[in-house]
Amino acid sequence: MKIINKEGVDKYLNNDWILRELENINNGGAKVYTSDQWLINDPAKRCVYDRVYRDFSKVSKDFKLLDIGGGLSTFSHSFLGHLDYEIVDTCNHESNEDIGRAVKEHTKMKLSRSDWKEFQHSGTYDCVVANDIFPNVDQRVEEFLAKFLPITKEIRMSLTYYNTPRTYKVKRVDGDEIFYIRPWDGLRLSHALNSFIHRIKNPCLEQLLLNPESVFANGRQVCIIRMEGDL
C-alpha cells in the first residue's frame, strides 16, 4: 500500500506522460470527456492514475480488466484499448449522446451502465480496479471486496479519506430528507480493511492514521492498495 504524497507527485511530474497523451488527444480533435478533463486539471490525479494503471500497458491483449467507476475517457480507451477491457459505471457525468458516441467509437470497450452491486459479471478477471470510488463516493467497501475478490486474481483500489473534520450536506434522490454525512477518516478505513489485511500487499494500516500535507485542493488523503484475489 502507498500513500500519495508531495514527494511522489513531484517524482511523477518529472515525466508527466499522461498530460502529454492528453494534449495529443486535445490537439488531435478527439472528444474530451469529464474523466479526461479531471486528469488534465489535477497533477495529483495523474499521479494516482500512473500508480494504478501504468503497468497494464505491458500485459497481453487477453488480459481481462474490470474497471469499476472507470467512466468514459478517450485517454483510458486509448491506453487500455488493447486489453479485454470492461467498465461498470452509471456515467452520471456524461450525456446520453456522448455515451452513445463513446460506445460507437471504442467498439472493443464493454460498458455496463449500472451500480456495481447490481452488475452481473460474466466470468472471472485478471484484475478489478476501483479508482477514486471508495469510500468517499461509495462507502460499501466490505461489500465490494466480498463480491469481487472471489472472481479475480487482484484488486487495485485508490481509497480516499479525510483526517481533518469534513461534512457533506446531501439530499436523498428518492425522498426529501437532507442528511449531513461525515466522510470516512483513516481510522474508519483501517477498521474496514483490517478483515482483509492478509490479502493486502505490503500492508501498513497505521499509515492511514497520519495526516501529512495533502496534495489535493480539498485536503483529502489517498492511499493505493493492491489485494490478492481468490484466483
Side-chain angles (χ1 to χ4, degrees):
M1 56 182 293
K2 184 71 174 179
I3 306 294
I4 299 299
N5 56 25
K6 186 177 185 302
E7 180 183 2
V9 173
D10 288 344
K11 183 177 180 181
Y12 165 75
L13 290 176
N14 288 330
N15 180 22
D16 194 354
W17 64 277
I18 295 175
L19 184 59
R20 291 197 299 272
E21 291 299 321
L22 286 163
E23 289 173 342
N24 289 336
I25 289 171
N26 245 334
N27 294 336
K31 173 67 179 177
V32 174
Y33 295 97
T34 302
S35 296
D36 297 310
Q37 195 61 54
W38 286 339
L39 287 173
I40 290 171
N41 294 342
D42 194 337
K45 276 186 174 289
R46 298 198 296 274
C47 177
V48 172
Y49 191 103
D50 174 75
R51 295 280 180 85
V52 174
Y53 293 92
R54 185 170 187 171
D55 61 338
F56 291 140
S57 66
K58 302 174 183 177
V59 300
S60 73
K61 64 180 182 180
D62 298 323
F63 189 91
K64 295 187 68 175
L65 175 63
L66 180 66
D67 199 342
I68 305 298
L72 300 182
S73 167
T74 298
F75 168 70
S76 288
H77 299 158
S78 173
F79 181 64
L80 303 171
H82 65 291
L83 307 178
D84 187 344
Y85 183 42
E86 188 170 0
I87 300 169
V88 178
D89 198 308
T90 54
C91 297
N92 294 330
H93 299 289
E94 308 294 349
S95 67
N96 288 330
E97 179 183 358
D98 282 345
I99 294 168
R101 175 192 302 169
V103 171
K104 289 180 180 179
E105 290 179 350
H106 305 281
T107 55
K108 289 184 63 178
M109 176 192 68
K110 302 172 187 175
L111 173 64
S112 296
R113 292 189 64 186
S114 72
D115 175 23
W116 60 262
K117 183 76 172 179
E118 281 73 49
F119 171 66
Q120 301 296 317
H121 57 85
S122 58
T124 59
Y125 300 90
D126 291 293
C127 188
V128 176
V129 168
N131 181 30
D132 199 17
I133 302 297
F134 300 103
N136 195 45
V137 175
D138 189 331
Q139 297 183 347
R140 299 169 294 174
V141 177
E142 296 99 328
E143 294 173 69
F144 169 77
L145 293 173
K147 177 170 182 172
F148 289 102
L149 282 169
I151 62 169
T152 188
K153 297 177 182 177
E154 181 186 34
I155 286 181
R156 298 185 186 183
M157 309 171 75
S158 66
L159 300 167
T160 296
Y161 56 101
Y162 293 85
N163 281 338
T164 53
R166 186 179 180 88
T167 304
Y168 296 137
K169 180 181 179 181
V170 299
K171 183 178 181 179
R172 284 180 52 178
V173 297
D174 59 348
D176 295 327
E177 289 95 340
I178 299 294
F179 296 141
Y180 293 87
I181 303 297
R182 176 65 54 85
W184 282 19
D185 59 16
L187 180 61
R188 176 68 184 87
L189 180 57
S190 67
H191 287 166
L193 295 176
N194 193 56
S195 299
F196 304 91
I197 195 169
H198 61 289
R199 295 180 179 270
I200 300 174
K201 298 180 181 179
N202 302 314
C204 190
L205 297 183
E206 57 268 26
Q207 289 188 27
L208 300 176
L209 308 182
L210 305 177
N211 194 36
E213 180 184 359
S214 175
V215 294
F216 296 90
N218 62 2
R220 70 184 182 270
Q221 302 292 338
V222 173
C223 174
I224 295 175
I225 65 170
R226 297 188 180 191
M227 307 181 75
E228 294 180 358
D230 288 349
L231 301 186

